[in-house]
Amino acid sequence: LEGHPDNVAAAILGGIALAWSGAEGPAAIRLRSDCPADLVVAVPDEELPTKLAREALPASIAHADAAHTAARAALLVAALESGRAELLADALDDRLHEPYRAPFVPLLGAVRARVGGLPVYGATISGAGPSVLVWCERGAGTTVAAALADVAPRVLPLPVADAGVVVSETAG
């Protein structure tokens, strides 16, 4: 309905989902059921309109940056699907969106400055921002969230749902 299958795919399917728009409309697939990392989200009070985040992106980018990011996106899917968390640090290196959106997401720099020495693979802009997603070693989400507690108004471990939407009939 909103034109962004990625925003609803995981809610419907549960787990980690990959979504795209194809010739026949939106489509999605659920990846393996267990995420090889814990996730923590840092949420600022400020909002970032998606329209502004999109407008920050240039009309064209260097071929090398596009190739780099396409390879990293494929690596991210491979890391998640294979359960190989050690690949996440390389997979999170984005040259397509982050360099242009980061100025609108000051929390990204603040989080990255604080995660050194913590069991973290990396921190990325969550969606269009302004929230920041921290990719942690499995089992470390609560510890990382506690260590980042004062960096943003809300810092929460973010469990990956085992199941998506469940529709049931109720007696009326």
Side-chain angles (χ1 to χ4, degrees), residues 17-74:
L18 177 63
W20 67 95
S21 294
E24 298 193 18
I29 186 171
R30 179 181 166 143
L31 302 180
R32 66 183 284 150
S33 59
D34 60 326
C35 182
D38 280 3
L39 302 170
V40 171
V41 65
V43 184
D45 283 332
E46 304 80 30
E47 292 184 11
L48 175 61
T50 301
K51 183 179 186 307
L52 179 62
R54 285 187 185 136
E55 290 172 351
L57 301 176
S60 63
I61 62 165
H63 181 270
D65 289 338
H68 174 93
T69 302
R72 292 317 192 274

Side-chain angles (χ1 to χ4, degrees), residues 108-136:
L108 181 63
V111 167
R112 285 183 173 162
R114 295 286 295 280
V115 297
L118 294 174
V120 167
Y121 299 111
T124 59
I125 298 172
S126 180
S131 296
V132 173
L133 190 61
V134 183
W135 300 72
C136 314

Side-chain angles (χ1 to χ4, degrees), residues 93-114:
D93 186 20
D94 170 37
R95 295 184 189 170
L96 187 60
H97 301 92
E98 186 180 299
Y100 309 103
R101 289 181 172 169
F104 298 101
V105 185
L107 188 55
L108 181 63
V111 167
R112 285 183 173 162
R114 295 286 295 280

